[in-house]
Amino acid sequence: MWMYSKKLQYPVKIKNPNPAMAKIIMTQLGGPDGETGAAMRYLHQRYSCPYGEVTGILTDVGTEELGHMEMISAIVYQLTRRLCMDEIKQSGFDSYFVDHTTGIYPVSAAGIPFTMDYLASKGDIITDLHEDLAAEQKARTTYDNILRLADDPDVKDAIRFLREREVVHYQRFGEALRITQDNLDCKNFYAFNPEFDIRQARALEKSRK
Amino acid sequence: MNEREVLLKRVQICDFALADTALFLDTHPENQMALDFYKKYLEMRKSAADAYTSRFGPLVHSDYDGGPRWNWVDNPWPWQNEEA
């Protein structure tokens, strides 16, 4: 069960509108390596996860990603306030504006709506954690690219915070992978799938106690 | 129901009453009867959550009790329902 907390994880205070930048940053809400995909990925993978520490990190990172969806939405909202029609036409924001005005709708920078095709939940914790490690690095690269494209210090400050969180999440998922492997057969990590072959997983746990 | 389930049910009842009343208050922010009802359940929720967390561990991170282990990660997670 979730409770909403009426605050951003890190402050977003952007003074100057910039619809072209909004269109680029929107990709971290609705794009292939964005925060919506991240939240959906971890919050779906966790159910069949057999190890409490790993379930915990998937739950808590997934929850943080929901907060990052809100931060990206706040950035896009603040970048598209008080626009005149000339700014909308000249910035290339017109192709978004025609369908969504200045409402928040998760699309990639190229305008493709969010799809669950961007993520996987494989029912095998080793496989899922490798996906998660890759996803954090892909998001980190995207934030690095945004930092190359942005020049407003107000925008860069919030983006730098989000980029740093990708690095921290990558570190924690690496530790989760190590915890998973410590629970498996050290001669063959793939001898069984601990999310599916529950009896074998429990027998191995018992034999160690 | 075992003791854990009984104590958890009390928290769930209070939390649902609070969530449902919050929806009503969102559209009736000055309704005194609803405000009083919310306050009553908030107090019941506090004692129900204290009773649960002191014996069975945290419901949210900030229920941490200062002990030597981060028991947040201990099974069961809510969907595991191993007793059934």
Side-chain angles (χ1 to χ4, degrees):
Chain A
M1 172 71 183
W2 275 266
M3 300 287 282
Y4 179 69
S5 193
K6 197 177 171 185
K7 61 174 171 54
L8 297 179
Q9 189 185 25
Y10 182 89
V12 173
K13 281 179 184 146
I14 297 166
K15 291 180 275 301
N16 304 314
N18 184 341
M21 188 46 57
K23 213 173 156 182
I24 288 163
I25 291 174
M26 182 60 106
T27 214
Q28 280 304 78
L29 184 68
D33 305 310
E35 302 291 356
T36 309
M40 292 302 103
R41 181 178 297 112
Y42 311 142
L43 293 177
H44 287 98
Q45 288 174 349
R46 71 195 177 117
Y47 292 93
S48 50
C49 175
Y51 309 119
E53 296 93 329
V54 181
T55 312
I57 201 70
L58 289 169
T59 301
D60 294 340
V61 175
T63 300
E64 185 178 340
E65 308 293 14
L66 295 173
H68 294 173
M69 289 171 64
E70 185 183 36
M71 275 184 68
I72 294 292
S73 301
I75 293 170
V76 172
Y77 167 72
Q78 292 181 17
L79 285 171
T80 54
R81 273 186 301 192
R82 295 183 292 272
L83 297 177
C84 67
M85 285 318 295
D86 278 347
E87 281 175 297
I88 289 170
K89 283 184 206 165
Q90 282 156 20
S91 62
F93 191 71
D94 50 355
S95 58
Y96 180 91
F97 177 86
V98 68
D99 287 326
H100 311 292
T101 328
T102 53
I104 300 292
Y105 181 73
V107 294
S108 73
I112 300 161
F114 176 74
T115 162
M116 292 292 273
D117 291 346
Y118 293 148
L119 58 104
S121 177
K122 201 70 176 173
D124 178 321
I125 192 60
I126 290 186
T127 310
D128 280 345
L129 285 170
H130 279 90
E131 150 121 359
D132 303 345
L133 288 159
E136 294 294 335
Q137 289 299 344
K138 287 190 279 183
R140 195 265 309 155
T141 304
T142 309
Y143 282 124
D144 278 334
N145 293 343
I146 290 170
L147 288 168
R148 289 173 197 271
L149 293 163
D151 42 26
D152 181 345
D154 295 345
V155 171
K156 291 179 98 162
D157 183 54
I159 297 293
R160 277 201 199 95
F161 173 85
L162 290 165
R163 178 199 176 276
E164 195 59 31
R165 297 309 295 160
E166 308 299 335
V167 177
V168 171
H169 295 169
Y170 178 82
Q171 172 70 19
R172 296 282 94 83
F173 283 134
E175 290 156 359
L177 181 60
R178 203 185 57 223
I179 289 167
T180 297
Q181 288 170 335
D182 285 347
N183 277 289
L184 294 172
D185 179 347
C186 63
K187 290 185 186 135
N188 180 6
F189 291 149
Y190 317 114
F192 58 87
N193 173 359
E195 292 196 25
F196 186 72
D197 305 303
I198 308 278
R199 268 187 214 159
Q200 279 149 284
R202 288 209 178 129
L204 189 65
E205 259 173 60
K206 264 188 196 164
S207 73
R208 286 189 175 150
K209 273 175 190 166
Chain B
M1 278 203 289
N2 60 36
E3 198 183 350
R4 193 180 80 84
E5 291 170 313
V6 171
L7 291 175
L8 185 61
K9 189 120 203 165
R10 281 179 56 204
V11 179
Q12 287 171 309
I13 289 166
C14 293
D15 275 345
F16 180 73
L18 289 167
D20 192 46
T21 310
L23 297 189
F24 180 84
L25 282 165
D26 287 347
T27 51
H28 305 75
E30 271 140 47
N31 185 293
Q32 194 56 50
M33 210 155 57
L35 290 166
D36 291 342
F37 186 86
Y38 190 92
K39 193 159 177 283
K40 182 178 131 192
Y41 272 86
L42 196 59
E43 278 155 24
M44 278 166 62
R45 200 269 175 200
K46 275 177 197 148
S47 63
D50 284 348
Y52 178 88
T53 57
S54 65
R55 294 218 33 215
F56 299 107
L59 291 163
V60 292
H61 290 162
S62 51
D63 290 333
Y64 172 62
D65 62 0
R69 182 183 155 75
W70 185 246
N71 53 359
W72 175 250
V73 298
D74 292 350
N75 290 333
W77 287 82
W79 56 88
Q80 287 173 336
N81 193 25
E82 294 297 333
E83 293 97 299

Short mmCIF file of all heavy atoms in Angstrom, two decimals, chain A residues 2 19 56 61 72 87 99 107 115 125 128 134 136-137 159 161 181 186 198:
data_model
loop_
_atom_site.label_atom_id
_atom_site.label_comp_id
_atom_site.label_asym_id
_atom_site.label_seq_id
_atom_site.Cartn_x
_atom_site.Cartn_y
_atom_site.Cartn_z
N TRP A 2 0.50 2.24 -0.76
CA TRP A 2 1.29 3.47 -0.83
C TRP A 2 0.54 4.64 -0.20
O TRP A 2 -0.68 4.70 -0.26
CB TRP A 2 1.59 3.83 -2.29
CG TRP A 2 2.79 3.13 -2.80
CD1 TRP A 2 4.07 3.61 -2.82
CD2 TRP A 2 2.85 1.83 -3.39
NE1 TRP A 2 4.91 2.67 -3.36
CE2 TRP A 2 4.19 1.57 -3.71
CE3 TRP A 2 1.91 0.84 -3.64
CZ2 TRP A 2 4.61 0.38 -4.29
CZ3 TRP A 2 2.32 -0.35 -4.20
CH2 TRP A 2 3.66 -0.57 -4.53
N PRO A 19 10.18 25.50 -23.76
CA PRO A 19 9.39 24.35 -24.24
C PRO A 19 10.21 23.33 -25.01
O PRO A 19 9.91 22.13 -24.96
CB PRO A 19 8.31 25.00 -25.11
CG PRO A 19 8.77 26.38 -25.40
CD PRO A 19 9.66 26.79 -24.27
N GLY A 56 13.12 -5.98 -0.73
CA GLY A 56 13.19 -4.66 -0.11
C GLY A 56 13.76 -3.62 -1.04
O GLY A 56 13.20 -2.53 -1.20
N VAL A 61 13.46 1.11 -4.21
CA VAL A 61 13.89 1.84 -5.41
C VAL A 61 12.67 2.13 -6.28
O VAL A 61 12.50 3.26 -6.76
CB VAL A 61 14.97 1.06 -6.20
CG1 VAL A 61 15.31 1.79 -7.50
CG2 VAL A 61 16.24 0.89 -5.37
N ILE A 72 10.25 14.80 -12.63
CA ILE A 72 10.33 15.08 -14.08
C ILE A 72 9.08 15.85 -14.51
O ILE A 72 9.17 16.84 -15.26
CB ILE A 72 10.45 13.76 -14.89
CG1 ILE A 72 11.79 13.07 -14.59
CG2 ILE A 72 10.29 14.01 -16.40
CD1 ILE A 72 13.01 13.80 -15.10
N GLU A 87 6.20 31.28 -29.10
CA GLU A 87 7.21 30.40 -28.47
C GLU A 87 6.88 28.93 -28.76
O GLU A 87 7.77 28.12 -29.02
CB GLU A 87 7.21 30.60 -26.95
CG GLU A 87 7.93 31.82 -26.45
CD GLU A 87 7.76 31.98 -24.93
OE1 GLU A 87 6.62 32.18 -24.48
OE2 GLU A 87 8.78 31.88 -24.23
N ASP A 99 -1.85 17.94 -29.22
CA ASP A 99 -2.55 16.81 -28.59
C ASP A 99 -2.78 16.98 -27.10
O ASP A 99 -3.74 16.44 -26.55
CB ASP A 99 -1.75 15.51 -28.80
CG ASP A 99 -1.84 15.03 -30.24
OD1 ASP A 99 -2.91 15.22 -30.86
OD2 ASP A 99 -0.85 14.46 -30.73
N VAL A 107 5.43 10.70 -22.88
CA VAL A 107 5.91 10.34 -24.22
C VAL A 107 7.43 10.45 -24.24
O VAL A 107 8.03 11.09 -23.38
CB VAL A 107 5.33 11.27 -25.31
CG1 VAL A 107 3.82 11.11 -25.44
CG2 VAL A 107 5.69 12.73 -25.05
N THR A 115 5.16 2.85 -23.22
CA THR A 115 4.68 1.48 -23.39
C THR A 115 5.44 0.54 -22.46
O THR A 115 6.63 0.75 -22.19
CB THR A 115 4.85 1.00 -24.85
OG1 THR A 115 4.77 -0.43 -24.87
CG2 THR A 115 6.17 1.43 -25.46
N ILE A 125 15.28 -14.02 -10.79
CA ILE A 125 15.85 -12.84 -10.14
C ILE A 125 17.23 -12.46 -10.70
O ILE A 125 17.55 -11.26 -10.77
CB ILE A 125 15.84 -12.98 -8.58
CG1 ILE A 125 16.16 -11.65 -7.90
CG2 ILE A 125 16.75 -14.08 -8.10
CD1 ILE A 125 15.17 -10.53 -8.22
N ASP A 128 16.38 -10.63 -13.92
CA ASP A 128 15.75 -9.33 -13.63
C ASP A 128 16.78 -8.32 -13.11
O ASP A 128 16.76 -7.16 -13.49
CB ASP A 128 14.61 -9.50 -12.61
CG ASP A 128 13.32 -10.02 -13.27
OD1 ASP A 128 13.23 -9.97 -14.52
OD2 ASP A 128 12.42 -10.46 -12.54
N ALA A 134 21.31 -2.70 -16.08
CA ALA A 134 21.39 -2.07 -17.40
C ALA A 134 20.48 -0.85 -17.47
O ALA A 134 20.86 0.20 -17.99
CB ALA A 134 21.03 -3.07 -18.49
N GLU A 136 19.49 1.16 -15.09
CA GLU A 136 20.03 2.30 -14.36
C GLU A 136 21.13 2.98 -15.18
O GLU A 136 21.24 4.21 -15.19
CB GLU A 136 20.58 1.86 -12.99
CG GLU A 136 19.50 1.35 -12.03
CD GLU A 136 18.51 2.42 -11.59
OE1 GLU A 136 18.87 3.61 -11.60
OE2 GLU A 136 17.37 2.07 -11.23
N GLN A 137 21.96 2.20 -15.85
CA GLN A 137 23.02 2.81 -16.68
C GLN A 137 22.42 3.53 -17.89
O GLN A 137 22.90 4.60 -18.27
CB GLN A 137 24.03 1.75 -17.13
CG GLN A 137 24.92 1.23 -16.00
CD GLN A 137 25.78 2.32 -15.36
OE1 GLN A 137 25.97 3.41 -15.91
NE2 GLN A 137 26.32 2.02 -14.19
N ILE A 159 18.39 17.83 -12.60
CA ILE A 159 18.81 16.69 -13.44
C ILE A 159 20.05 16.00 -12.85
O ILE A 159 20.14 14.77 -12.86
CB ILE A 159 19.06 17.14 -14.90
CG1 ILE A 159 17.77 17.67 -15.55
CG2 ILE A 159 19.70 16.02 -15.74
CD1 ILE A 159 16.68 16.63 -15.76
N PHE A 161 20.81 15.78 -9.72
CA PHE A 161 20.35 14.97 -8.59
C PHE A 161 19.81 13.63 -9.10
O PHE A 161 20.18 12.56 -8.59
CB PHE A 161 19.26 15.71 -7.79
CG PHE A 161 18.63 14.86 -6.73
CD1 PHE A 161 19.22 14.74 -5.47
CD2 PHE A 161 17.46 14.14 -6.99
CE1 PHE A 161 18.65 13.92 -4.50
CE2 PHE A 161 16.89 13.32 -6.02
CZ PHE A 161 17.49 13.22 -4.78
N GLN A 181 23.25 -14.35 -5.35
CA GLN A 181 24.21 -15.41 -5.67
C GLN A 181 24.70 -16.12 -4.42
O GLN A 181 24.93 -17.33 -4.43
CB GLN A 181 25.37 -14.82 -6.48
CG GLN A 181 24.91 -14.46 -7.89
CD GLN A 181 25.94 -13.65 -8.67
OE1 GLN A 181 26.77 -12.97 -8.10
NE2 GLN A 181 25.85 -13.72 -9.99
N CYS A 186 26.92 -22.27 -5.38
CA CYS A 186 28.08 -21.48 -5.83
C CYS A 186 28.80 -22.14 -7.02
O CYS A 186 29.57 -21.50 -7.71
CB CYS A 186 29.04 -21.22 -4.68
SG CYS A 186 29.75 -22.72 -4.00
N ILE A 198 10.87 -23.53 -6.10
CA ILE A 198 10.86 -23.12 -4.69
C ILE A 198 11.41 -24.23 -3.79
O ILE A 198 12.14 -23.97 -2.85
CB ILE A 198 9.42 -22.75 -4.25
CG1 ILE A 198 8.82 -21.74 -5.21
CG2 ILE A 198 9.40 -22.27 -2.80
CD1 ILE A 198 9.17 -20.32 -5.02
#
